[in-house]
Amino acid sequence: MQTWIDLFHLAWPFLLKGAGYTLAFALAAMVLGLALGFVVALLRVAQVPVLAQVATFYVSAMRGTPLLVQIFVIYYGLPSVGIEFSPATAGVLALTLNVAAYLSESMRGAIAGVSRDQWHAGYSLGLTWWQTMRHVVAPQALRLAVPSLSNSLISLIKDTSLVSVITVTELMLATKEVIAQTFQPLPLYLAAAALYWAMSAAFEWVQRQVEARLEWRR
Amino acid sequence: MSIEVRQINKRFGDFVALDDINLDIQTGELLALLGPSGCGKTTLLRIIAGLETPDRGSILFHGEDATDTHVRERQVGFVFQHYALFRHMTVFENVAFGLRVRPKHTRPTDAAIKQKVHTLLELVQLDWLADRYPAQLSGGQRQRIALARALAVEPRVLLLDEPFGALDTKVRKELRRWLRRLHDEMHITSVFVTHDQEEALEVADRVVVMNKGRIEQTGTPEQVYDQPATPFVYQFLGDVNLFHSRVHEGWAEVGGTRFAAPEAGDKAVIYVRPHEIDIQRIATDKALAGVITHVRLLGATVRLEVNVAAGDPVEVELTRERYTEGRWSVGEAVWLSPREARVYAG
């Protein structure tokens, strides 16, 4: 027991720093992914010619290939055509592109879940397509989408562990580095798992707050 | 504002929803589109609103072609069967919304919006609910808010799609009387869709009876009820008994009672409303013999079902008093004679 306490005492700063990176990656990809996902969903809902097809292709490609492959393509593949990213940028970019595809599908489904009458009610009051989307449909769709968006965002927190393969010292790689010095895989991997769990649980709490705020009174 | 419907056609795949519809709606009138489900009444309303595009034909608002005008520019107020209130907004916000989103130069001031919304909420008698959310209201309250919301943007025309269709009978009756009073105050050209003949006859200035994508008859409630143009209208506007007869020298007959028949054909169908039949216990050669098989008490009236030798059972409607006086009971032999009838070539 004493050895474990000493071990955590030693490993704590490294793991916490790694967790900080993990959180930063997750938050960056979350914000960018929500924005990109919304644009992609809009293009498909509005059936913008050409762009809607591009969006459909993008979603299919992102959902149909492993995130690990996407990270490799962006970090190791693209330099051969002259596009180079730092490991951190490549990581955020891959996570964003990946999560945006899933988020856009959740949003598209939620937008379609808002009744046609709501659109028509907006139009008959003199609203444009965009005004109706922004003030009438999107707020109601958001409420419908929150559970499924949260699913993707919690997955995202865990998916950040994959960027450890491109030398980003987030929680997973930080843990591995401490293990390489201490040769104590079990307690350290369990500690890492606990940290991932804690972050996901914190996010679940945020989700509940958001749901409570969006809840329309019954 | 007047509305003209010119040669409107609409198909959904092979289904003909509207077949060459022509209709003039006068400024300030309250018109009912009445018919069974699938007759095209809602499609016609949605085409007038601009929520649906016709395959052919045109819609004129005040003499101007509006066929290609988008809904938001038609200035129509639309009331939906299932209210379509914005459930993430309070009642006040719902009604204010159409004014709030206007571009700056046409938007009233906040104070003016506030006053307007409260005036409208008072008009629909729900000012005390301004801060509630739609989910906290009853169906009848929601529909009145939906109406206030539609009126807030000062539409040129008010269109209502089965406005009371989702409400229970008592609330329906209250609301339709209220709608009539409201219309008498506002005089805005209004069209409402219904499948309830009582509602159409009670509320509307004029009734358009539709069937299978066509207009069967247009007229005042009295006209369509008292002088139905087609057998369909007669049947749709109330319960009816059907008798088949051969035509002899221009006369058709039920039992022994003769009615003038139309020229065409040697067969006729005779329509008699249940309350237009006399019932007695004495046999005459001019009456139809039968036996009472059911007695149904419907509040103020009573329906007797009478089996006759030929054809379907006949329904006879009596007032409660006449039923009590006569002491009619199941199993009795009776003789029926129609007082009034309408005869169509069959």
Side-chain angles (χ1 to χ4, degrees):
Chain A
M1 201 62 213
Q2 189 57 41
T3 52
W4 277 35
I5 290 165
D6 290 343
L7 181 65
F8 285 136
H9 198 71
L10 170 83
W12 199 239
F14 298 99
L15 297 192
L16 221 52
K17 196 173 167 207
Y21 276 111
T22 287
L23 209 56
F25 271 90
L27 287 176
M30 231 176 249
V31 172
L32 296 173
L34 281 167
L36 179 62
F38 186 54
V39 172
V40 169
L42 279 186
L43 290 175
R44 295 185 71 184
V45 170
Q47 295 171 342
V48 181
V50 186
L51 290 178
Q53 279 79 34
V54 173
T56 308
F57 175 81
Y58 154 77
V59 170
S60 172
M62 283 295 150
R63 296 206 303 172
T65 55
L67 175 58
L68 191 58
V69 175
Q70 292 162 14
I71 294 170
F72 276 24
V73 167
I74 289 170
Y75 186 67
Y76 294 114
L78 289 183
S80 65
V81 292
I83 306 171
E84 253 180 83
F85 296 107
S86 71
T89 315
V92 170
L93 186 62
L95 289 170
T96 299
L97 289 175
N98 184 271
V99 80
Y102 289 92
L103 295 176
S104 80
E105 279 300 275
S106 299
M107 294 183 200
R108 196 169 66 92
I111 290 169
V114 176
S115 138
R116 292 297 302 166
D117 279 356
Q118 293 286 315
W119 285 97
H120 291 154
Y123 291 155
S124 71
L125 292 176
L127 273 71
T128 61
W129 184 90
W130 174 243
Q131 285 178 313
T132 311
M133 173 60 93
R134 188 171 153 222
H135 299 292
V136 176
V137 178
Q140 297 183 54
L142 184 62
R143 176 66 190 80
L144 294 173
V146 166
S148 130
L149 293 179
S150 304
N151 246 345
S152 300
L153 295 176
I154 287 177
S155 286
L156 174 66
I157 295 173
K158 297 176 292 173
D159 286 345
T160 52
S161 63
L162 288 174
V163 299
S164 63
V165 298
I166 52 172
T167 72
V168 178
T169 323
E170 42 62 74
L171 179 54
M172 186 64 193
L173 192 55
T175 312
K176 279 188 189 167
E177 283 174 358
V178 180
I179 292 169
Q181 292 164 25
T182 60
F183 306 104
Q184 292 278 6
L186 182 64
L188 290 171
Y189 279 138
L190 283 177
L195 283 170
Y196 278 115
W197 194 0
M199 283 187 275
S200 298
F203 189 80
E204 278 173 33
W205 181 83
V206 172
Q207 175 196 345
R208 277 196 300 276
Q209 303 308 306
V210 172
E211 274 182 15
R213 275 209 61 177
L214 290 175
E215 185 73 48
W216 36 75
R217 281 172 234 170
R218 295 182 183 280
Chain B
M1 196 188 58
S2 66
I3 306 169
E4 292 163 55
V5 176
R6 291 276 165 270
Q7 293 172 314
I8 290 289
N9 283 268
K10 178 74 181 177
R11 282 166 167 276
F12 295 107
D14 284 340
F15 178 74
V16 180
L18 293 172
D19 185 5
D20 207 31
I21 298 287
N22 286 286
L23 181 63
D24 283 340
I25 302 164
Q26 313 299 330
T27 304
E29 83 172 324
L30 177 53
L31 184 99
L33 297 177
L34 173 68
S37 46
C39 74
K41 56 192 191 301
T42 294
T43 308
L44 179 57
L45 190 81
R46 293 173 72 87
I47 286 175
I48 295 173
L51 296 173
E52 204 91 64
T53 37
D55 298 336
R56 264 190 296 129
S58 49
I59 301 287
L60 282 71
F61 277 15
H62 207 73
E64 267 174 58
D65 195 332
T67 318
D68 299 319
T69 310
H70 191 274
V71 201
R72 68 172 169 272
E73 273 131 29
R74 280 196 201 192
Q75 295 176 269
V76 296
F78 202 95
V79 175
F80 298 83
Q81 182 177 2
H82 297 288
Y83 331 121
L85 289 176
F86 305 134
R87 50 185 182 170
H88 57 301
M89 298 181 194
T90 62
V91 163
F92 181 93
E93 288 303 321
N94 263 280
V95 179
F97 186 64
L99 300 170
R100 284 258 164 88
V101 292
R102 285 203 178 154
K104 263 220 169 72
H105 58 281
T106 57
R107 189 193 311 154
T109 62
D110 275 356
I113 290 178
K114 198 170 173 189
Q115 213 216 312
K116 171 133 205 182
V117 173
H118 283 298
T119 309
L120 281 165
L121 288 177
E122 273 160 31
L123 184 73
V124 300
Q125 298 155 7
L126 291 176
D127 204 24
W128 54 288
L129 291 176
D131 296 327
R132 302 275 185 92
Y133 282 83
Q136 297 169 299
L137 309 184
S138 72
Q141 291 171 336
R142 283 185 214 182
Q143 198 55 298
R144 284 192 273 166
I145 297 302
L147 197 61
R149 181 181 69 177
L151 291 172
V153 292
E154 291 175 4
R156 301 189 292 173
V157 175
L158 188 61
L159 305 172
L160 308 102
D161 182 11
E162 301 249 6
F164 314 129
L167 305 170
D168 60 54
T169 322
K170 191 158 179 294
V171 179
R172 276 178 92 106
K173 286 194 173 165
E174 269 170 37
L175 271 196
R176 69 197 193 205
R177 272 163 213 168
W178 173 80
L179 175 69
R180 180 67 239 187
R181 282 200 304 275
L182 190 76
H183 184 266
D184 291 341
E185 280 170 39
M186 316 238 333
H187 291 298
I188 177 171
T189 309
S190 309
V191 182
F192 77 101
V193 157
T194 180
H195 60 262
D196 180 341
Q197 80 279 4
E198 221 181 283
E199 191 167 294
L201 295 176
E202 182 179 336
V203 176
D205 294 321
R206 276 200 308 152
V207 179
V208 176
V209 185
M210 294 183 67
N211 182 32
K212 292 183 182 158
R214 291 169 163 276
I215 292 178
E216 294 269 335
Q217 188 177 3
T218 306
T220 63
E222 292 76 25
Q223 282 168 348
V224 293
Y225 191 79
D226 294 334
Q227 297 142 38
T230 65
F232 175 83
V233 175
Y234 196 86
Q235 285 192 38
F236 196 75
L237 290 184
D239 294 319
V240 70
N241 293 297
L242 258 72
F243 300 96
H244 295 271
S245 166
R246 294 202 155 274
V247 177
H248 288 291
E249 292 159 2
W251 297 97
E253 57 173 54
V254 178
T257 316
R258 299 204 300 176
F259 296 99
E263 301 289 308
D266 59 349
K267 279 191 209 158
V269 186
I270 301 153
Y271 291 78
V272 184
R273 299 240 185 256
H275 65 267
E276 293 172 341
I277 298 180
D278 280 335
I279 183 165
Q280 56 208 106
R281 292 203 172 85
I282 304 151
T284 62
D285 56 346
K286 291 219 165 164
L288 201 60
V291 175
I292 299 177
T293 53
H294 287 286
V295 174
R296 280 192 284 271
L297 305 176
L298 306 170
T301 62
V302 178
R303 287 283 173 94
L304 306 180
E305 199 177 296
V306 180
N307 267 358
V308 293
D312 296 327
V314 177
E315 284 215 317
V316 180
E317 188 176 282
L318 302 176
T319 61
R320 196 64 182 236
E321 290 82 5
R322 287 215 40 215
Y323 167 76
T324 320
E325 278 165 25
R327 292 194 207 119
W328 305 99
S329 56
V330 172
E332 251 187 289
V334 291
W335 279 264
L336 308 174
S337 45
R339 287 190 305 275
E340 313 249 347
R342 194 152 285 273
V343 187
Y344 296 96

